[in-house]
Amino acid sequence: MKLIGLIGGMSWESSLEYYRIMNETTKERLGGLNSARVLIDSINFGELEPMMSSGQWDKAAEMLIESARRLERGGADFFLIGTNTLHKVSAEVQSAVNIPLLHMADAVGLEIAAMGLTRVGLLGTKFTMDGDFLSGPLTDKYGLQVTTPSAESGQSLHDIIFQELCLGQFLDESRARVGGIIGELAAAGVEGVILGCTELPLLIKQEDSPLPLLDTTAIHARRSVELALA
């Protein structure tokens, strides 16, 4: 099994999910006492988040580049950025190391293609919903039509992520609010919804949604194990 590298800590709550799902998937595939070979470099999100909020993406890229280099020196065969939003600087990070990046958009695009969906909604931070670093590849490489919530709903979702989920708070009223946003997307004709923030699956589950949910944390983690075992 190849050694998986994970840039984690964004937030650490979702990094726990990555590690759990990687090991559960490995056990499902190999049985017995088998577990995943994972090297995690967990960065301090408290230092990173102000760079994101102030638009200092070059500094954020530098932090992730140093993390990716540590994983490379540690012997990782490939690596993941354990968050959707920081894929905004994925090209810069990939260009700084020699090991390949398993990009979130590729993991999710392959999953959606296997499900036969063509119109999907995208939930996440405003950086993710307003940018094209996920929706662009999903459209260009996988032929998907990607829809995002209204500006008001998008801001509400962004606030829930940073003011609650990244602090480990999972409130019933926020779960209802996100469910309402998914309902808006359903009314717009989407066939499934991408939970494009690695904290969102900690708040909302399939039973809370009228549409199929695409858990990017689980999809990314499972795909990494498939690649490690290939």
PDB file of all heavy atoms in Angstrom, residues 15-46:
ATOM      1  N   SER A  15     -10.264  16.627   9.810  1.00  0.00           N
ATOM      2  CA  SER A  15      -9.103  15.751   9.629  1.00  0.00           C
ATOM      3  C   SER A  15      -9.315  14.425  10.356  1.00  0.00           C
ATOM      4  O   SER A  15      -8.871  13.365   9.888  1.00  0.00           O
ATOM      5  CB  SER A  15      -7.832  16.430  10.146  1.00  0.00           C
ATOM      6  OG  SER A  15      -7.545  17.588   9.404  1.00  0.00           O
ATOM      7  N   LEU A  16     -10.000  14.472  11.491  1.00  0.00           N
ATOM      8  CA  LEU A  16     -10.358  13.234  12.194  1.00  0.00           C
ATOM      9  C   LEU A  16     -11.199  12.340  11.290  1.00  0.00           C
ATOM     10  O   LEU A  16     -11.018  11.119  11.256  1.00  0.00           O
ATOM     11  CB  LEU A  16     -11.145  13.549  13.460  1.00  0.00           C
ATOM     12  CG  LEU A  16     -10.377  13.960  14.708  1.00  0.00           C
ATOM     13  CD1 LEU A  16     -11.354  14.374  15.803  1.00  0.00           C
ATOM     14  CD2 LEU A  16      -9.491  12.832  15.201  1.00  0.00           C
ATOM     15  N   GLU A  17     -12.131  12.946  10.554  1.00  0.00           N
ATOM     16  CA  GLU A  17     -12.982  12.187   9.653  1.00  0.00           C
ATOM     17  C   GLU A  17     -12.175  11.573   8.516  1.00  0.00           C
ATOM     18  O   GLU A  17     -12.400  10.419   8.132  1.00  0.00           O
ATOM     19  CB  GLU A  17     -14.094  13.080   9.101  1.00  0.00           C
ATOM     20  CG  GLU A  17     -15.130  13.477  10.131  1.00  0.00           C
ATOM     21  CD  GLU A  17     -15.842  12.263  10.699  1.00  0.00           C
ATOM     22  OE1 GLU A  17     -16.583  11.597   9.948  1.00  0.00           O
ATOM     23  OE2 GLU A  17     -15.640  11.964  11.892  1.00  0.00           O
ATOM     24  N   TYR A  18     -11.251  12.336   7.960  1.00  0.00           N
ATOM     25  CA  TYR A  18     -10.369  11.782   6.925  1.00  0.00           C
ATOM     26  C   TYR A  18      -9.676  10.518   7.444  1.00  0.00           C
ATOM     27  O   TYR A  18      -9.672   9.477   6.778  1.00  0.00           O
ATOM     28  CB  TYR A  18      -9.303  12.806   6.520  1.00  0.00           C
ATOM     29  CG  TYR A  18      -9.659  13.672   5.341  1.00  0.00           C
ATOM     30  CD1 TYR A  18     -10.214  14.930   5.529  1.00  0.00           C
ATOM     31  CD2 TYR A  18      -9.440  13.243   4.036  1.00  0.00           C
ATOM     32  CE1 TYR A  18     -10.538  15.748   4.439  1.00  0.00           C
ATOM     33  CE2 TYR A  18      -9.749  14.046   2.943  1.00  0.00           C
ATOM     34  CZ  TYR A  18     -10.297  15.295   3.158  1.00  0.00           C
ATOM     35  OH  TYR A  18     -10.613  16.084   2.087  1.00  0.00           O
ATOM     36  N   TYR A  19      -9.076  10.616   8.611  1.00  0.00           N
ATOM     37  CA  TYR A  19      -8.305   9.485   9.148  1.00  0.00           C
ATOM     38  C   TYR A  19      -9.216   8.287   9.418  1.00  0.00           C
ATOM     39  O   TYR A  19      -8.878   7.144   9.085  1.00  0.00           O
ATOM     40  CB  TYR A  19      -7.599   9.927  10.427  1.00  0.00           C
ATOM     41  CG  TYR A  19      -6.648   8.897  10.979  1.00  0.00           C
ATOM     42  CD1 TYR A  19      -5.493   8.539  10.287  1.00  0.00           C
ATOM     43  CD2 TYR A  19      -6.903   8.274  12.202  1.00  0.00           C
ATOM     44  CE1 TYR A  19      -4.625   7.584  10.787  1.00  0.00           C
ATOM     45  CE2 TYR A  19      -6.034   7.322  12.713  1.00  0.00           C
ATOM     46  CZ  TYR A  19      -4.897   6.975  12.008  1.00  0.00           C
ATOM     47  OH  TYR A  19      -4.041   6.028  12.502  1.00  0.00           O
ATOM     48  N   ARG A  20     -10.393   8.543   9.988  1.00  0.00           N
ATOM     49  CA  ARG A  20     -11.331   7.460  10.269  1.00  0.00           C
ATOM     50  C   ARG A  20     -11.766   6.774   8.978  1.00  0.00           C
ATOM     51  O   ARG A  20     -11.739   5.537   8.880  1.00  0.00           O
ATOM     52  CB  ARG A  20     -12.557   8.015  11.006  1.00  0.00           C
ATOM     53  CG  ARG A  20     -13.620   6.966  11.287  1.00  0.00           C
ATOM     54  CD  ARG A  20     -14.850   7.577  11.948  1.00  0.00           C
ATOM     55  NE  ARG A  20     -15.530   8.535  11.091  1.00  0.00           N
ATOM     56  CZ  ARG A  20     -16.363   8.200  10.105  1.00  0.00           C
ATOM     57  NH1 ARG A  20     -16.613   6.910   9.837  1.00  0.00           N
ATOM     58  NH2 ARG A  20     -16.952   9.116   9.366  1.00  0.00           N
ATOM     59  N   ILE A  21     -12.162   7.551   7.977  1.00  0.00           N
ATOM     60  CA  ILE A  21     -12.677   6.975   6.738  1.00  0.00           C
ATOM     61  C   ILE A  21     -11.580   6.245   5.973  1.00  0.00           C
ATOM     62  O   ILE A  21     -11.816   5.167   5.397  1.00  0.00           O
ATOM     63  CB  ILE A  21     -13.321   8.080   5.871  1.00  0.00           C
ATOM     64  CG1 ILE A  21     -14.544   8.648   6.578  1.00  0.00           C
ATOM     65  CG2 ILE A  21     -13.706   7.536   4.496  1.00  0.00           C
ATOM     66  CD1 ILE A  21     -15.050   9.948   5.997  1.00  0.00           C
ATOM     67  N   MET A  22     -10.365   6.783   5.951  1.00  0.00           N
ATOM     68  CA  MET A  22      -9.253   6.092   5.299  1.00  0.00           C
ATOM     69  C   MET A  22      -9.031   4.716   5.915  1.00  0.00           C
ATOM     70  O   MET A  22      -8.844   3.716   5.206  1.00  0.00           O
ATOM     71  CB  MET A  22      -7.970   6.919   5.418  1.00  0.00           C
ATOM     72  CG  MET A  22      -7.916   8.134   4.520  1.00  0.00           C
ATOM     73  SD  MET A  22      -6.457   9.141   4.892  1.00  0.00           S
ATOM     74  CE  MET A  22      -6.614  10.437   3.661  1.00  0.00           C
ATOM     75  N   ASN A  23      -9.066   4.632   7.223  1.00  0.00           N
ATOM     76  CA  ASN A  23      -8.826   3.357   7.894  1.00  0.00           C
ATOM     77  C   ASN A  23     -10.004   2.400   7.747  1.00  0.00           C
ATOM     78  O   ASN A  23      -9.802   1.200   7.544  1.00  0.00           O
ATOM     79  CB  ASN A  23      -8.497   3.600   9.367  1.00  0.00           C
ATOM     80  CG  ASN A  23      -7.068   4.059   9.549  1.00  0.00           C
ATOM     81  OD1 ASN A  23      -6.129   3.292   9.383  1.00  0.00           O
ATOM     82  ND2 ASN A  23      -6.884   5.330   9.868  1.00  0.00           N
ATOM     83  N   GLU A  24     -11.223   2.924   7.818  1.00  0.00           N
ATOM     84  CA  GLU A  24     -12.383   2.058   7.615  1.00  0.00           C
ATOM     85  C   GLU A  24     -12.399   1.493   6.201  1.00  0.00           C
ATOM     86  O   GLU A  24     -12.713   0.307   6.003  1.00  0.00           O
ATOM     87  CB  GLU A  24     -13.664   2.839   7.892  1.00  0.00           C
ATOM     88  CG  GLU A  24     -13.896   3.140   9.357  1.00  0.00           C
ATOM     89  CD  GLU A  24     -15.165   3.927   9.609  1.00  0.00           C
ATOM     90  OE1 GLU A  24     -15.772   4.418   8.629  1.00  0.00           O
ATOM     91  OE2 GLU A  24     -15.546   4.049  10.783  1.00  0.00           O
ATOM     92  N   THR A  25     -12.058   2.322   5.219  1.00  0.00           N
ATOM     93  CA  THR A  25     -12.042   1.865   3.827  1.00  0.00           C
ATOM     94  C   THR A  25     -10.965   0.820   3.608  1.00  0.00           C
ATOM     95  O   THR A  25     -11.175  -0.183   2.905  1.00  0.00           O
ATOM     96  CB  THR A  25     -11.835   3.059   2.880  1.00  0.00           C
ATOM     97  OG1 THR A  25     -12.826   4.050   3.124  1.00  0.00           O
ATOM     98  CG2 THR A  25     -11.907   2.616   1.426  1.00  0.00           C
ATOM     99  N   THR A  26      -9.810   1.022   4.215  1.00  0.00           N
ATOM    100  CA  THR A  26      -8.729   0.035   4.098  1.00  0.00           C
ATOM    101  C   THR A  26      -9.137  -1.292   4.706  1.00  0.00           C
ATOM    102  O   THR A  26      -8.890  -2.364   4.122  1.00  0.00           O
ATOM    103  CB  THR A  26      -7.454   0.564   4.782  1.00  0.00           C
ATOM    104  OG1 THR A  26      -7.072   1.809   4.184  1.00  0.00           O
ATOM    105  CG2 THR A  26      -6.307  -0.431   4.644  1.00  0.00           C
ATOM    106  N   LYS A  27      -9.775  -1.248   5.857  1.00  0.00           N
ATOM    107  CA  LYS A  27     -10.219  -2.492   6.500  1.00  0.00           C
ATOM    108  C   LYS A  27     -11.268  -3.198   5.650  1.00  0.00           C
ATOM    109  O   LYS A  27     -11.265  -4.433   5.532  1.00  0.00           O
ATOM    110  CB  LYS A  27     -10.778  -2.195   7.884  1.00  0.00           C
ATOM    111  CG  LYS A  27     -11.117  -3.448   8.681  1.00  0.00           C
ATOM    112  CD  LYS A  27     -11.517  -3.121  10.107  1.00  0.00           C
ATOM    113  CE  LYS A  27     -11.796  -4.390  10.892  1.00  0.00           C
ATOM    114  NZ  LYS A  27     -12.154  -4.093  12.303  1.00  0.00           N
ATOM    115  N   GLU A  28     -12.166  -2.423   5.034  1.00  0.00           N
ATOM    116  CA  GLU A  28     -13.166  -3.017   4.147  1.00  0.00           C
ATOM    117  C   GLU A  28     -12.523  -3.714   2.965  1.00  0.00           C
ATOM    118  O   GLU A  28     -12.961  -4.792   2.547  1.00  0.00           O
ATOM    119  CB  GLU A  28     -14.122  -1.927   3.644  1.00  0.00           C
ATOM    120  CG  GLU A  28     -15.057  -1.373   4.706  1.00  0.00           C
ATOM    121  CD  GLU A  28     -15.790  -0.138   4.222  1.00  0.00           C
ATOM    122  OE1 GLU A  28     -15.633   0.222   3.030  1.00  0.00           O
ATOM    123  OE2 GLU A  28     -16.514   0.483   5.019  1.00  0.00           O
ATOM    124  N   ARG A  29     -11.476  -3.096   2.437  1.00  0.00           N
ATOM    125  CA  ARG A  29     -10.812  -3.647   1.254  1.00  0.00           C
ATOM    126  C   ARG A  29      -9.913  -4.830   1.579  1.00  0.00           C
ATOM    127  O   ARG A  29      -9.879  -5.814   0.828  1.00  0.00           O
ATOM    128  CB  ARG A  29      -9.989  -2.556   0.564  1.00  0.00           C
ATOM    129  CG  ARG A  29     -10.798  -1.544  -0.222  1.00  0.00           C
ATOM    130  CD  ARG A  29     -11.403  -2.155  -1.496  1.00  0.00           C
ATOM    131  NE  ARG A  29     -10.388  -2.783  -2.316  1.00  0.00           N
ATOM    132  CZ  ARG A  29      -9.634  -2.140  -3.213  1.00  0.00           C
ATOM    133  NH1 ARG A  29      -9.819  -0.850  -3.410  1.00  0.00           N
ATOM    134  NH2 ARG A  29      -8.738  -2.787  -3.928  1.00  0.00           N
ATOM    135  N   LEU A  30      -9.175  -4.752   2.681  1.00  0.00           N
ATOM    136  CA  LEU A  30      -8.141  -5.749   2.977  1.00  0.00           C
ATOM    137  C   LEU A  30      -8.498  -6.694   4.122  1.00  0.00           C
ATOM    138  O   LEU A  30      -7.898  -7.757   4.249  1.00  0.00           O
ATOM    139  CB  LEU A  30      -6.816  -5.046   3.297  1.00  0.00           C
ATOM    140  CG  LEU A  30      -6.248  -4.147   2.195  1.00  0.00           C
ATOM    141  CD1 LEU A  30      -4.933  -3.523   2.641  1.00  0.00           C
ATOM    142  CD2 LEU A  30      -6.061  -4.918   0.890  1.00  0.00           C
ATOM    143  N   GLY A  31      -9.464  -6.283   4.962  1.00  0.00           N
ATOM    144  CA  GLY A  31      -9.899  -7.142   6.053  1.00  0.00           C
ATOM    145  C   GLY A  31      -8.907  -7.227   7.199  1.00  0.00           C
ATOM    146  O   GLY A  31      -7.844  -6.590   7.207  1.00  0.00           O
ATOM    147  N   GLY A  32      -9.268  -8.039   8.175  1.00  0.00           N
ATOM    148  CA  GLY A  32      -8.378  -8.308   9.303  1.00  0.00           C
ATOM    149  C   GLY A  32      -7.984  -7.064  10.081  1.00  0.00           C
ATOM    150  O   GLY A  32      -8.813  -6.193  10.365  1.00  0.00           O
ATOM    151  N   LEU A  33      -6.695  -6.991  10.402  1.00  0.00           N
ATOM    152  CA  LEU A  33      -6.172  -5.885  11.197  1.00  0.00           C
ATOM    153  C   LEU A  33      -5.565  -4.782  10.340  1.00  0.00           C
ATOM    154  O   LEU A  33      -4.874  -3.899  10.853  1.00  0.00           O
ATOM    155  CB  LEU A  33      -5.116  -6.407  12.178  1.00  0.00           C
ATOM    156  CG  LEU A  33      -5.607  -7.425  13.211  1.00  0.00           C
ATOM    157  CD1 LEU A  33      -4.437  -7.935  14.052  1.00  0.00           C
ATOM    158  CD2 LEU A  33      -6.684  -6.830  14.104  1.00  0.00           C
ATOM    159  N   ASN A  34      -5.822  -4.834   9.039  1.00  0.00           N
ATOM    160  CA  ASN A  34      -5.212  -3.853   8.144  1.00  0.00           C
ATOM    161  C   ASN A  34      -5.747  -2.448   8.396  1.00  0.00           C
ATOM    162  O   ASN A  34      -6.938  -2.243   8.637  1.00  0.00           O
ATOM    163  CB  ASN A  34      -5.477  -4.241   6.682  1.00  0.00           C
ATOM    164  CG  ASN A  34      -4.652  -5.434   6.262  1.00  0.00           C
ATOM    165  OD1 ASN A  34      -3.448  -5.315   6.082  1.00  0.00           O
ATOM    166  ND2 ASN A  34      -5.295  -6.591   6.119  1.00  0.00           N
ATOM    167  N   SER A  35      -4.837  -1.476   8.317  1.00  0.00           N
ATOM    168  CA  SER A  35      -5.189  -0.067   8.438  1.00  0.00           C
ATOM    169  C   SER A  35      -4.394   0.724   7.402  1.00  0.00           C
ATOM    170  O   SER A  35      -3.443   0.220   6.804  1.00  0.00           O
ATOM    171  CB  SER A  35      -4.904   0.456   9.849  1.00  0.00           C
ATOM    172  OG  SER A  35      -3.545   0.266  10.191  1.00  0.00           O
ATOM    173  N   ALA A  36      -4.790   1.960   7.206  1.00  0.00           N
ATOM    174  CA  ALA A  36      -4.184   2.785   6.162  1.00  0.00           C
ATOM    175  C   ALA A  36      -2.798   3.271   6.560  1.00  0.00           C
ATOM    176  O   ALA A  36      -2.517   3.514   7.733  1.00  0.00           O
ATOM    177  CB  ALA A  36      -5.080   3.979   5.869  1.00  0.00           C
ATOM    178  N   ARG A  37      -1.937   3.412   5.556  1.00  0.00           N
ATOM    179  CA  ARG A  37      -0.641   4.057   5.762  1.00  0.00           C
ATOM    180  C   ARG A  37      -0.826   5.538   5.448  1.00  0.00           C
ATOM    181  O   ARG A  37      -1.001   5.921   4.296  1.00  0.00           O
ATOM    182  CB  ARG A  37       0.432   3.435   4.863  1.00  0.00           C
ATOM    183  CG  ARG A  37       0.706   1.958   5.134  1.00  0.00           C
ATOM    184  CD  ARG A  37       1.857   1.457   4.277  1.00  0.00           C
ATOM    185  NE  ARG A  37       3.100   2.158   4.594  1.00  0.00           N
ATOM    186  CZ  ARG A  37       3.919   2.688   3.685  1.00  0.00           C
ATOM    187  NH1 ARG A  37       3.622   2.619   2.403  1.00  0.00           N
ATOM    188  NH2 ARG A  37       5.023   3.288   4.059  1.00  0.00           N
ATOM    189  N   VAL A  38      -0.826   6.364   6.493  1.00  0.00           N
ATOM    190  CA  VAL A  38      -1.130   7.784   6.349  1.00  0.00           C
ATOM    191  C   VAL A  38      -0.090   8.619   7.086  1.00  0.00           C
ATOM    192  O   VAL A  38       0.235   8.340   8.238  1.00  0.00           O
ATOM    193  CB  VAL A  38      -2.522   8.129   6.916  1.00  0.00           C
ATOM    194  CG1 VAL A  38      -2.882   9.582   6.592  1.00  0.00           C
ATOM    195  CG2 VAL A  38      -3.583   7.185   6.397  1.00  0.00           C
ATOM    196  N   LEU A  39       0.414   9.629   6.410  1.00  0.00           N
ATOM    197  CA  LEU A  39       1.303  10.608   7.024  1.00  0.00           C
ATOM    198  C   LEU A  39       0.554  11.937   7.021  1.00  0.00           C
ATOM    199  O   LEU A  39       0.188  12.445   5.965  1.00  0.00           O
ATOM    200  CB  LEU A  39       2.605  10.735   6.226  1.00  0.00           C
ATOM    201  CG  LEU A  39       3.658  11.718   6.749  1.00  0.00           C
ATOM    202  CD1 LEU A  39       4.132  11.316   8.138  1.00  0.00           C
ATOM    203  CD2 LEU A  39       4.836  11.803   5.778  1.00  0.00           C
ATOM    204  N   ILE A  40       0.297  12.478   8.217  1.00  0.00           N
ATOM    205  CA  ILE A  40      -0.489  13.704   8.346  1.00  0.00           C
ATOM    206  C   ILE A  40       0.411  14.845   8.811  1.00  0.00           C
ATOM    207  O   ILE A  40       1.139  14.707   9.792  1.00  0.00           O
ATOM    208  CB  ILE A  40      -1.648  13.524   9.348  1.00  0.00           C
ATOM    209  CG1 ILE A  40      -2.557  12.365   8.915  1.00  0.00           C
ATOM    210  CG2 ILE A  40      -2.447  14.815   9.475  1.00  0.00           C
ATOM    211  CD1 ILE A  40      -3.651  12.042   9.924  1.00  0.00           C
ATOM    212  N   ASP A  41       0.331  15.952   8.099  1.00  0.00           N
ATOM    213  CA  ASP A  41       0.976  17.182   8.558  1.00  0.00           C
ATOM    214  C   ASP A  41      -0.155  18.150   8.890  1.00  0.00           C
ATOM    215  O   ASP A  41      -0.824  18.669   7.998  1.00  0.00           O
ATOM    216  CB  ASP A  41       1.898  17.777   7.493  1.00  0.00           C
ATOM    217  CG  ASP A  41       2.704  18.939   8.046  1.00  0.00           C
ATOM    218  OD1 ASP A  41       3.713  18.674   8.731  1.00  0.00           O
ATOM    219  OD2 ASP A  41       2.328  20.101   7.811  1.00  0.00           O
ATOM    220  N   SER A  42      -0.389  18.368  10.174  1.00  0.00           N
ATOM    221  CA  SER A  42      -1.522  19.161  10.623  1.00  0.00           C
ATOM    222  C   SER A  42      -1.071  20.584  10.916  1.00  0.00           C
ATOM    223  O   SER A  42      -0.289  20.825  11.832  1.00  0.00           O
ATOM    224  CB  SER A  42      -2.133  18.533  11.882  1.00  0.00           C
ATOM    225  OG  SER A  42      -3.333  19.174  12.248  1.00  0.00           O
ATOM    226  N   ILE A  43      -1.577  21.528  10.115  1.00  0.00           N
ATOM    227  CA  ILE A  43      -1.169  22.916  10.278  1.00  0.00           C
ATOM    228  C   ILE A  43      -2.099  23.633  11.256  1.00  0.00           C
ATOM    229  O   ILE A  43      -3.168  23.126  11.602  1.00  0.00           O
ATOM    230  CB  ILE A  43      -1.125  23.654   8.928  1.00  0.00           C
ATOM    231  CG1 ILE A  43      -2.525  23.777   8.317  1.00  0.00           C
ATOM    232  CG2 ILE A  43      -0.210  22.925   7.950  1.00  0.00           C
ATOM    233  CD1 ILE A  43      -2.538  24.547   7.024  1.00  0.00           C
ATOM    234  N   ASN A  44      -1.691  24.816  11.702  1.00  0.00           N
ATOM    235  CA  ASN A  44      -2.472  25.594  12.663  1.00  0.00           C
ATOM    236  C   ASN A  44      -3.479  26.464  11.919  1.00  0.00           C
ATOM    237  O   ASN A  44      -3.112  27.470  11.308  1.00  0.00           O
ATOM    238  CB  ASN A  44      -1.528  26.459  13.514  1.00  0.00           C
ATOM    239  CG  ASN A  44      -2.281  27.214  14.597  1.00  0.00           C
ATOM    240  OD1 ASN A  44      -3.500  27.198  14.670  1.00  0.00           O
ATOM    241  ND2 ASN A  44      -1.530  27.880  15.468  1.00  0.00           N
ATOM    242  N   PHE A  45      -4.742  26.082  11.979  1.00  0.00           N
ATOM    243  CA  PHE A  45      -5.777  26.809  11.257  1.00  0.00           C
ATOM    244  C   PHE A  45      -5.941  28.231  11.795  1.00  0.00           C
ATOM    245  O   PHE A  45      -6.356  29.134  11.076  1.00  0.00           O
ATOM    246  CB  PHE A  45      -7.103  26.047  11.345  1.00  0.00           C
ATOM    247  CG  PHE A  45      -8.143  26.514  10.363  1.00  0.00           C
ATOM    248  CD1 PHE A  45      -7.831  26.694   9.023  1.00  0.00           C
ATOM    249  CD2 PHE A  45      -9.443  26.754  10.778  1.00  0.00           C
ATOM    250  CE1 PHE A  45      -8.793  27.110   8.113  1.00  0.00           C
ATOM    251  CE2 PHE A  45     -10.410  27.176   9.875  1.00  0.00           C
ATOM    252  CZ  PHE A  45     -10.094  27.353   8.549  1.00  0.00           C
ATOM    253  N   GLY A  46      -5.589  28.417  13.063  1.00  0.00           N
ATOM    254  CA  GLY A  46      -5.665  29.748  13.641  1.00  0.00           C
ATOM    255  C   GLY A  46      -4.711  30.731  12.982  1.00  0.00           C
ATOM    256  O   GLY A  46      -4.960  31.942  12.977  1.00  0.00           O
TER     257      GLY A  46
END
